[in-house]
Amino acid sequence: MKRIAFLVAALFADQSEATDLITIYREAQVQDATYAGAKAQYIGAQEKLPQARALLLPNVAFGA
């Protein structure tokens, strides 16, 4: 009897808590501080090239 009750409970628990692996992975990305820090560092590194190019462009200033 205990075995049948356990199987029924496991069957219903699986359906109510159904999540796929992609959802779990995305939630982990949002909450992981190491991942967020690495992503911010990557975005910052991507901005270095446009900033370096901006220094080579001519500057125009207007005064009144």
Side-chain angles (χ1 to χ4, degrees), residues 15-37:
Q15 291 178 357
S16 65
E17 296 290 327
T19 55
D20 57 345
L21 190 59
I22 297 296
T23 305
I24 294 171
Y25 176 71
R26 288 182 181 151
E27 289 177 8
Q29 282 181 334
V30 170
Q31 295 180 1
D32 188 16
T34 306
Y35 178 79

Side-chain angles (χ1 to χ4, degrees), residues 5-17:
F6 177 73
L7 290 175
V8 170
L11 179 65
F12 287 116
D14 185 36
Q15 291 178 357
S16 65
E17 296 290 327

Side-chain angles (χ1 to χ4, degrees), residues 40-58:
Q41 187 176 7
Y42 173 76
I43 292 171
Q46 295 298 314
E47 281 297 315
K48 286 185 180 180
L49 182 62
Q51 289 177 2
R53 285 183 182 162
L55 293 174
L56 299 175
L57 297 175

